[in-house]
Amino acid sequence: MNSEVAKFLPMVDFLETVLGSNNEIVLHDFSDLEHSVVDIRNGHVSGRHAGAPATDFVLKVLNDDELAGGDHTTSYLSHSVAGKPLRSVSYFIRDGGKIVGMLCINTDTSLIDELQYLTAQIGSVYHSLTKGPILDAESGPAGIEHFSTSTDDLVRRSVSAIEAATGKAIEEFSADDRLEAVRQMNADGVFLLKGAVAQVAEAMGISEPSVYRYLQKARRESQGS
């Protein structure tokens, strides 16, 4: 474990005691992105355990200097493994300026959200008020975070998101579609994960050399822009 990350282990105990069971406290060490969760308390909140991989949000932060500015994030929307909406905040742990880990708090606000919704409904009866959704789409600079239990799960989620955005099944993708998909996954930091090329190749039904060719082209275009 990175020595700077190890310094935050006592904080995990402290935050668990202070915040209670509806707050998940997670310590990440980015020395191994495939198993970055080195300590976790109240893992039932997100459905994860120690040894879980880095999230899509983490990969975007590590792949984008602008997102990595500052020492912490503001509150953003995330989702548990089961899809439950959570509110999250992350502190960046640095070693010589480089982000080497994160201390994260993920809060299950479902009871508060339900109470707020019911209060709004009761208020509308007496005051004819119209309330919008309790949880809006606000999600921080890198978009909504999704928690995964494995690297393969994260890659499948990324592919599914691309399918939803294009309105096409992955089997229907043309060569240009596949290049754009790889370009998007590269921008999202998916290929920072070991073994991602093989998993993307399997998900897209193409060979690993084909994925490498798309990836090299995407990276050349990115460097040339």
mmCIF file of all heavy atoms in Angstrom, residues 22 108-117:
data_model
loop_
_atom_site.group_PDB
_atom_site.id
_atom_site.type_symbol
_atom_site.label_atom_id
_atom_site.label_comp_id
_atom_site.label_asym_id
_atom_site.label_seq_id
_atom_site.Cartn_x
_atom_site.Cartn_y
_atom_site.Cartn_z
ATOM 1 N N ASN A 22 -25.417 4.400 7.466
ATOM 2 C CA ASN A 22 -25.913 4.741 6.126
ATOM 3 C C ASN A 22 -24.868 5.506 5.316
ATOM 4 O O ASN A 22 -25.164 5.993 4.222
ATOM 5 C CB ASN A 22 -27.210 5.555 6.206
ATOM 6 C CG ASN A 22 -26.980 6.954 6.751
ATOM 7 O OD1 ASN A 22 -26.175 7.131 7.660
ATOM 8 N ND2 ASN A 22 -27.679 7.938 6.208
ATOM 9 N N ASP A 108 -26.237 6.975 1.640
ATOM 10 C CA ASP A 108 -27.563 6.519 1.228
ATOM 11 C C ASP A 108 -28.583 7.525 1.763
ATOM 12 O O ASP A 108 -28.852 7.577 2.957
ATOM 13 C CB ASP A 108 -27.829 5.127 1.798
ATOM 14 C CG ASP A 108 -29.201 4.580 1.409
ATOM 15 O OD1 ASP A 108 -29.967 5.296 0.729
ATOM 16 O OD2 ASP A 108 -29.506 3.430 1.782
ATOM 17 N N THR A 109 -29.129 8.321 0.865
ATOM 18 C CA THR A 109 -30.070 9.374 1.262
ATOM 19 C C THR A 109 -31.518 8.980 0.988
ATOM 20 O O THR A 109 -32.405 9.836 0.986
ATOM 21 C CB THR A 109 -29.763 10.681 0.510
ATOM 22 O OG1 THR A 109 -29.904 10.452 -0.904
ATOM 23 C CG2 THR A 109 -28.354 11.160 0.797
ATOM 24 N N SER A 110 -31.769 7.691 0.758
ATOM 25 C CA SER A 110 -33.096 7.268 0.320
ATOM 26 C C SER A 110 -34.187 7.625 1.333
ATOM 27 O O SER A 110 -35.281 8.064 0.939
ATOM 28 C CB SER A 110 -33.112 5.762 0.031
ATOM 29 O OG SER A 110 -32.685 5.026 1.160
ATOM 30 N N LEU A 111 -33.923 7.468 2.632
ATOM 31 C CA LEU A 111 -34.948 7.793 3.624
ATOM 32 C C LEU A 111 -35.227 9.294 3.655
ATOM 33 O O LEU A 111 -36.389 9.722 3.741
ATOM 34 C CB LEU A 111 -34.504 7.307 5.006
ATOM 35 C CG LEU A 111 -34.488 5.793 5.212
ATOM 36 C CD1 LEU A 111 -33.958 5.447 6.601
ATOM 37 C CD2 LEU A 111 -35.877 5.200 5.022
ATOM 38 N N ILE A 112 -34.173 10.089 3.570
ATOM 39 C CA ILE A 112 -34.345 11.543 3.551
ATOM 40 C C ILE A 112 -35.081 11.967 2.291
ATOM 41 O O ILE A 112 -35.977 12.820 2.320
ATOM 42 C CB ILE A 112 -32.979 12.239 3.639
ATOM 43 C CG1 ILE A 112 -32.314 11.920 4.980
ATOM 44 C CG2 ILE A 112 -33.129 13.749 3.471
ATOM 45 C CD1 ILE A 112 -30.906 12.419 5.102
ATOM 46 N N ASP A 113 -34.725 11.354 1.162
ATOM 47 C CA ASP A 113 -35.375 11.692 -0.106
ATOM 48 C C ASP A 113 -36.863 11.346 -0.067
ATOM 49 O O ASP A 113 -37.710 12.108 -0.547
ATOM 50 C CB ASP A 113 -34.715 10.944 -1.261
ATOM 51 C CG ASP A 113 -33.263 11.355 -1.464
ATOM 52 O OD1 ASP A 113 -32.933 12.493 -1.097
ATOM 53 O OD2 ASP A 113 -32.488 10.540 -1.972
ATOM 54 N N GLU A 114 -37.170 10.182 0.522
ATOM 55 C CA GLU A 114 -38.576 9.777 0.626
ATOM 56 C C GLU A 114 -39.356 10.737 1.523
ATOM 57 O O GLU A 114 -40.489 11.131 1.197
ATOM 58 C CB GLU A 114 -38.671 8.356 1.175
ATOM 59 C CG GLU A 114 -40.088 7.822 1.236
ATOM 60 C CD GLU A 114 -40.151 6.397 1.735
ATOM 61 O OE1 GLU A 114 -39.091 5.767 1.915
ATOM 62 O OE2 GLU A 114 -41.274 5.883 1.942
ATOM 63 N N LEU A 115 -38.726 11.125 2.630
ATOM 64 C CA LEU A 115 -39.377 12.067 3.532
ATOM 65 C C LEU A 115 -39.590 13.410 2.846
ATOM 66 O O LEU A 115 -40.661 14.031 2.976
ATOM 67 C CB LEU A 115 -38.526 12.251 4.791
ATOM 68 C CG LEU A 115 -39.047 13.270 5.825
ATOM 69 C CD1 LEU A 115 -40.438 12.860 6.322
ATOM 70 C CD2 LEU A 115 -38.069 13.382 6.989
ATOM 71 N N GLN A 116 -38.609 13.865 2.093
ATOM 72 C CA GLN A 116 -38.729 15.133 1.383
ATOM 73 C C GLN A 116 -39.847 15.063 0.342
ATOM 74 O O GLN A 116 -40.628 16.009 0.182
ATOM 75 C CB GLN A 116 -37.404 15.487 0.705
ATOM 76 C CG GLN A 116 -37.412 16.856 0.021
ATOM 77 C CD GLN A 116 -36.064 17.207 -0.567
ATOM 78 O OE1 GLN A 116 -35.090 16.493 -0.371
ATOM 79 N NE2 GLN A 116 -36.010 18.298 -1.300
ATOM 80 N N TYR A 117 -39.914 13.920 -0.342
ATOM 81 C CA TYR A 117 -40.956 13.754 -1.352
ATOM 82 C C TYR A 117 -42.345 13.777 -0.707
ATOM 83 O O TYR A 117 -43.265 14.453 -1.192
ATOM 84 C CB TYR A 117 -40.749 12.435 -2.093
ATOM 85 C CG TYR A 117 -41.844 12.124 -3.089
ATOM 86 C CD1 TYR A 117 -41.889 12.763 -4.320
ATOM 87 C CD2 TYR A 117 -42.836 11.196 -2.778
ATOM 88 C CE1 TYR A 117 -42.893 12.484 -5.232
ATOM 89 C CE2 TYR A 117 -43.848 10.913 -3.678
ATOM 90 C CZ TYR A 117 -43.873 11.553 -4.903
ATOM 91 O OH TYR A 117 -44.877 11.283 -5.797
#
